Amino acid sequence: MAYTTVAKPSVYFENNIYTGNGSAQTFSGFDFAPKMVWFKRRNAVVNHLLTDVTLGSNWLIPDTTDAVSTTSDAITSYTSNGYVIGNNARLNTNSGTYASWNWSGGSTSGIATNGSTQISPSSYSFNQTSGFSIIRYTGIGGTPKKIPHGLGVQPKMFIIKRINGSGSWGVLPQQLGTGHLYLDGTQAISNTNPLSGGVLADAVNFSVSSSGDVNASGGTYVAYCFADVKGFSKMSFYDGNGSAEGIFEYLGFKPAFLLIKNTT
């Protein structure tokens, strides 16, 4: 049995540590064309910043409920092996130190649908090998409504944000059932009026409720979808033990990016 289905992880994801220069700055040398980038300043109290190819030069702030910000000084252009950033203080203050986490995308046409699909994405990028997709869609209200994700297997986590209005970042961890968390909040997992509409994703579609955070009629949204890929990505859960020695959670690989949330 193969140890991994991804021979070279850096073809699909890579970290970048850099120092800001206060003016346009080009990053290159990635083994892929980045499609989603998450930035955070390391030496000052500044909000996170997240952008992707469906947002153009605009950006979202993962730790607030703000709508998309229209700007021209975040990522000003994407290239085949990197991108160019402007002088936005959140990602490029002179002498500021930063981290960025960079994901590859994939196909922008031919997404699979079926008779259960109810909302067609307006744009998307999906990669079944790395188990990651970006889905942009317009809500139609009602619950539950199904939207294609393009990954060909059941994704294990969705992060969804309204673009054209304020709203929380809904996190739908499928390995914990149909409940939801919030990326921008401290709440425990909630199974009351779940953002999934009480329906788990399948190999073609994910489900959203009528909540304004995920599916208001006329609302525009972006969903970041993640599937388990052997030797590359894993969504899991564990029980803490309160011990300094801690617990060991087996992933099957050395992670380059780790996101943890207390669900209780």
Side-chain angles (χ1 to χ4, degrees):
M1 182 177 292
Y3 172 72
T4 179
T5 55
V6 175
K8 189 177 180 182
S10 64
V11 172
Y12 303 105
F13 175 86
E14 194 164 339
N15 297 318
N16 183 32
I17 304 298
Y18 66 95
T19 300
N21 63 8
S23 61
Q25 187 167 182
T26 300
F27 299 109
S28 60
F30 293 104
D31 290 330
F32 57 89
K35 301 299 183 184
M36 184 180 87
V37 186
W38 187 334
F39 296 94
K40 180 66 178 77
R41 186 167 179 177
R42 304 165 64 210
N43 66 339
V45 180
V46 177
N47 294 101
H48 294 252
L49 186 153
L50 188 150
T51 189
D52 69 69
V53 290
T54 74
L55 299 176
S57 63
N58 302 324
W59 39 268
L60 294 162
I61 306 174
D63 46 330
T64 75
T65 61
D66 295 351
V68 71
S69 295
T70 302
T71 182
S72 60
D73 59 0
I75 290 184
T76 58
S77 64
Y78 290 88
T79 68
S80 61
N81 67 349
Y83 46 85
V84 181
I85 62 173
N87 62 354
N88 187 281
R90 290 187 175 90
L91 53 78
N92 196 21
T93 294
N94 188 40
S95 299
T97 57
Y98 298 86
S100 74
W101 301 279
N102 308 272
W103 282 263
S104 173
S107 300
T108 55
S109 63
I111 194 168
T113 61
N114 60 20
S116 297
T117 303
Q118 295 162 293
I119 297 177
S120 297
S122 57
S123 61
Y124 53 81
S125 178
F126 66 91
N127 194 309
Q128 294 187 346
T129 301
S130 63
F132 173 67
S133 66
I134 303 168
I135 307 294
R136 184 164 175 168
Y137 65 94
T138 300
I140 60 175
T143 185
K145 291 294 185 290
K146 293 189 174 183
I147 308 165
H149 51 70
L151 298 182
V153 297
Q154 183 197 46
K156 295 300 183 183
M157 183 175 72
F158 302 90
I159 300 175
I160 304 173
K161 179 67 178 75
R162 184 168 184 172
I163 299 170
N164 68 337
S166 64
S168 291
W169 292 73
V171 180
L172 284 60
Q174 304 291 282
Q175 72 275 20
L176 295 176
T178 59
H180 63 265
L181 297 160
Y182 287 113
L183 192 65
D184 54 288
T186 60
Q187 302 95 319
I189 194 166
S190 174
N191 291 291
T192 303
N193 299 320
L195 297 179
S196 65
V199 179
L200 289 173
D202 57 33
V204 175
N205 300 297
F206 65 99
S207 177
V208 291
S209 72
S210 60
S211 167
D213 289 334
V214 292
N215 184 30
S217 180
T220 56
Y221 298 87
V222 63
Y224 304 111
C225 316
F226 302 85
D228 286 348
V229 175
K230 188 174 182 179
F232 178 73
S233 62
K234 178 74 173 175
M235 272 55 69
S236 186
F237 62 93
Y238 63 89
D239 293 324
N241 62 11
S243 168
E245 187 172 322
I247 59 97
F248 175 73
E249 180 69 13
Y250 179 74
L251 302 177
F253 58 93
K254 182 179 180 179
F257 175 82
L258 187 63
L259 180 66
I260 299 175
K261 173 69 176 73
N262 188 336
T263 64
T264 56

